[in-house]
Amino acid sequence: QVKLEESGGGLVQAGGSLRLSCAASGPIFNLHAMGWYRQGPGNQRELVANINRDDSTTYADSVQGRFTISRDNAANAAYLQMNSLKPEDTGVYYCKADLTTYSGSYFPELWGQGTQVTVSS
């Protein structure tokens, strides 16, 4: 069984930093793109950052220059370094990945359970 698990969320003051981690586990043959999404109170889930296997990245305009996504292919993990946090960054942060298992099964959208990030003003 493949799954994603996020960690690293918490409460931080505006201007502070947090580092989120996403660990993929199970019989993973190839972990393709990995991304971080967030859902703020009353908002739809939105893309925060995405990283492909070749380390090419995409960021939402609202986090460009403040957040950095990275990955460790050997560890099947992705990270989101969040600096200069703002109250509007508050929300549940979800990890998403698309991957192929050793048995050949392809999961185009595997989601973690989410981790709460709260930024106080």
Side-chain angles (χ1 to χ4, degrees):
Q1 180 182 358
V2 292
K3 66 176 183 179
L4 300 177
E5 185 168 2
E6 303 95 336
S7 61
L11 173 64
V12 64
Q13 288 189 331
S17 298
L18 283 174
R19 186 175 188 250
L20 305 184
S21 298
C22 173
S25 62
I28 299 168
F29 173 70
N30 199 347
L31 195 56
H32 309 295
M34 299 187 75
W36 287 97
Y37 291 70
R38 69 184 177 193
Q39 187 166 13
N43 295 332
Q44 291 186 333
R45 194 173 297 188
E46 62 177 358
L47 173 68
V48 175
N50 186 77
I51 185 167
N52 295 312
R53 191 165 180 87
D54 63 1
D55 286 340
S56 58
T57 58
T58 304
Y59 293 94
D61 289 344
S62 59
V63 307
Q64 184 77 42
R66 299 188 298 122
F67 291 10
T68 303
I69 189 171
S70 60
R71 64 187 289 166
D72 181 341
N73 291 329
N76 286 334
Y79 310 95
L80 186 67
Q81 178 66 42
M82 305 186 295
N83 299 329
S84 302
L85 281 161
K86 304 175 181 180
E88 51 264 43
D89 294 319
T90 294
V92 180
Y93 283 69
Y94 298 89
C95 179
K96 191 189 85 169
D98 65 300
L99 58 88
T100 304
T101 66
Y102 282 108
S103 66
S105 297
Y106 176 59
F107 293 79
E109 287 193 358
L110 185 67
W111 291 89
Q113 82 289 348
T115 185
Q116 176 71 43
V117 172
T118 303
V119 185
S120 63
S121 56

